[in-house]
Amino acid sequence: MTDRFIEDKQNVFETEKGKFDLKTLLSGGFIKQRQKELFTIRCRVPAGRLDAKKMKKIAEVAEKYGKGFAHLSFRQSAEIPYVNIKDFAAVAKELSEVGQTIASCGPRVRAITACGGCEYNPNGLTDTQGLAIEMDKRFFGTDTPHKFKISFSGCPIDCARTRENDLGFQGVVAPEWDGTICNGCTLCAKACKEGAIVSDEDGKPIFDPEKCIYCGDCIRVCPTESWKAKRYGHLVRVGGKHGRHPREADVVRIFISDEEVSSVIDKVVKWYQENGIKRERLGMTIERLGLEKFKEGVFGEKEVEVESGK
Amino acid sequence: MESRLAVREKIITDDVLDVVGLCCPMPLALTMERVKEMKNGEILEVLLDDEEAVFDIPKWCKKDGHRFMRLEKEGEIYKLYIKTGGAYEHANRG
């Protein structure tokens, strides 16, 4: 039985303004639909942060050229389905009036996703919004052997799924205890979900760094501010993916600073470009060559010390 | 944790508020009301079994200037000790 939607295998379209090759369209975020000549336009929304004026324009375009709705993709893009191929130029022009650009598909760095981060989320430890937008400006669209997804989560709850991205940065905070002002209330031991803190006979905490995942719950809950933040940073995960064969990312670094994020992305992308083969995700390249080889190539060290914090 | 805490010196309380069986936001709301009626320096013991309130009440204490003294657990019941207006008498606190 033939699927009537897959019957149409035509890849080059003739229009009034010339020929469109589907392959070049794909890099620009125009996704072919089941229906002939109709496409979904993927709008780039780094960090999932969508200006009200862009929202209005997307709504306007969806009403004028689409079916009056947008679809929110799983990686925070706003997609406008049912746009006819003959309207591409007009749609791109109208969206660009408010600075709305088209996202990417295909083998390249995709729009960077992020959670709310420390700007307004009570759990957030890092400025995921600011970093994702800045890194998206620098790395979006860079050609890679296969798709390359980057995300930022502000804390170990990991809403932005750094474990399922090719490269993920997750906020961490190392706690430090000041015994001189602790009143032994035992609230930190109750708050710690990892069992890293137990109370002694005076209610003072006994800390097990091996079990700590650096979430900062003890710091937030402490009534006397005996638990303080020693340092903030990012935990770096590489080689994750979802899809039909998901792969959980490997932790390769912990407590890197905001300033180091850009160079880590740069090094990982370069290593992937040099070592990856076409249509092979980063996780597969790492499995083929070994995690040690990856660490050596990217960080120039054989054994990178990674504290707990999975 | 329970057996260890049992050996600690008992806190002498001025008032007891029993909100066992009530869930968020009632334990916090009733604690706020009761603390308002008390004098500065008096100690309130709150009995509850709501898991959220265990954290919400200390958080409010910090904001409103009360000293959260201790959390104890007896069976399924939590005991929270609050010293009203006592947040700033602690050493090294600005």
Side-chain angles (χ1 to χ4, degrees):
Chain A
M1 194 181 116
T2 318
D3 186 329
R4 67 193 168 92
F5 297 114
I6 299 174
E7 265 176 10
D8 167 35
K9 287 243 168 87
Q10 190 182 357
N11 277 324
V12 182
F13 292 85
E14 289 275 0
T15 70
E16 290 161 18
K17 284 178 183 144
K19 277 184 185 174
F20 270 116
D21 187 346
L22 256 187
K23 276 188 182 152
T24 57
L25 289 177
L26 274 170
S27 67
F30 297 86
I31 306 151
K32 197 169 178 277
Q33 290 189 189
R34 286 168 168 247
Q35 296 84 356
K36 204 179 175 184
E37 295 194 354
L38 291 180
F39 287 74
T40 292
I41 298 196
R42 181 179 284 171
C43 298
R44 180 173 158 204
V45 187
R49 195 181 185 106
L50 190 53
D51 286 353
K53 64 176 186 334
K54 288 180 182 173
M55 249 187 267
K56 282 179 193 155
K57 183 57 85 177
I58 289 169
E60 215 177 273
V61 166
E63 279 188 333
K64 198 166 162 189
Y65 300 100
K67 271 200 177 177
F69 72 94
H71 172 255
L72 302 178
S73 84
F74 275 87
R75 292 194 77 254
Q76 302 182 326
S77 296
E79 298 175 338
I80 310 169
Y82 292 99
V83 174
N84 194 289
I85 191 162
K86 69 176 170 50
D87 295 324
F88 279 4
V91 167
K93 188 180 162 288
E94 286 195 28
L95 289 173
S96 70
E97 285 166 11
V98 291
Q100 178 60 58
T101 50
I102 310 293
S104 67
C105 310
R108 51 191 57 80
V109 175
R110 304 294 183 83
I112 299 179
T113 55
C115 69
C118 68
E119 186 186 336
Y120 51 87
N121 186 304
N123 288 318
L125 303 169
T126 48
D127 182 17
T128 56
Q129 290 279 304
L131 278 164
I133 289 165
E134 186 54 36
M135 294 305 122
D136 188 82
K137 276 183 202 155
R138 288 188 207 177
F139 296 100
F140 173 82
T142 308
D143 288 323
T144 43
H146 200 353
K147 58 179 83 166
F148 194 82
K149 299 175 179 178
I150 303 173
S151 80
F152 284 84
S153 277
C155 77
I157 297 170
D158 197 20
C159 294
R161 312 278 193 273
T162 60
R163 285 170 176 84
E164 297 172 13
N165 276 260
D166 296 276
L167 180 55
F169 296 88
Q170 178 218 286
V172 278
V173 59
E176 185 176 42
W177 183 64
D178 179 352
T180 60
I181 51 175
C182 175
N183 69 356
C185 76
T186 76
L187 209 55
C188 53
K190 166 74 184 155
C192 182
K193 295 184 185 87
E194 309 304 321
I197 301 174
V198 290
S199 302
D200 70 6
E201 47 281 345
D202 294 319
K204 303 283 170 86
I206 302 166
F207 180 57
D208 181 356
E210 289 288 303
K211 288 183 180 166
C212 182
I213 63 160
Y214 311 110
C215 64
D217 279 349
C218 51
I219 300 168
R220 276 188 293 277
V221 84
C222 182
T224 61
E225 287 167 27
S226 305
W227 281 108
K228 291 183 178 72
K230 191 174 165 192
R231 56 174 171 165
Y232 289 95
H234 303 268
L235 181 127
V236 184
R237 291 195 171 94
V238 298
K241 70 188 278 287
H242 40 258
R244 37 177 98 186
H245 300 289
R247 181 181 191 272
E248 189 173 329
D250 297 297
V251 177
V252 291
R253 278 270 155 151
I254 195 163
F255 289 112
I256 68 150
S257 66
D258 288 357
E259 291 71 31
E260 289 172 286
V261 167
S262 178
S263 88
V264 167
I265 298 177
D266 190 48
K267 284 178 193 162
V268 172
V269 168
K270 283 208 174 99
W271 186 89
Y272 182 39
Q273 286 168 335
E274 283 162 18
N275 295 280
I277 49 181
K278 217 177 165 195
R279 293 202 59 77
E280 177 187 62
R281 291 288 289 274
L282 178 62
M284 297 304 114
T285 313
I286 290 173
E287 278 186 14
R288 182 167 53 81
L289 299 172
L291 187 60
E292 287 312 307
K293 188 138 191 232
F294 169 83
K295 287 193 209 169
E296 207 183 317
V298 172
F299 302 110
E301 299 160 45
K302 264 223 152 81
E303 194 49 59
V304 181
E305 196 193 319
V306 177
E307 297 166 52
S308 63
K310 278 178 191 168
Chain B
M1 195 173 102
E2 284 167 46
S3 59
R4 278 175 167 179
L5 284 173
V7 303
R8 286 185 81 181
E9 196 184 324
K10 264 201 161 19
I11 294 174
I12 312 297
T13 55
D14 296 292
D15 203 352
V16 181
L17 173 68
D18 185 347
V19 286
V20 173
L22 299 183
C23 61
C24 183
M26 291 317 288
L28 175 61
L30 293 172
T31 302
M32 287 161 84
E33 285 302 307
R34 184 64 64 90
V35 165
K36 228 187 273 175
E37 292 163 10
M38 293 170 73
K39 289 191 206 103
N40 262 9
E42 284 186 330
I43 294 170
L44 174 67
E45 178 181 349
V46 185
L47 304 173
L48 54 87
D49 58 358
D50 181 71
E51 292 284 334
E52 294 294 310
V54 171
F55 300 115
D56 288 346
I57 291 173
K59 203 188 277 176
W60 168 77
C61 286
K62 201 171 172 177
K63 245 193 280 180
D64 213 51
H66 310 290
R67 182 173 167 196
F68 184 75
M69 300 174 74
R70 200 186 288 176
L71 166 74
E72 284 180 8
K73 197 179 179 190
E74 216 174 85
E76 294 303 302
I77 312 293
Y78 291 104
K79 294 175 171 182
L80 280 68
Y81 297 92
I82 300 158
K83 190 168 188 177
T84 58
Y88 300 105
E89 64 185 40
H90 207 281
N92 297 338
R93 273 195 62 102

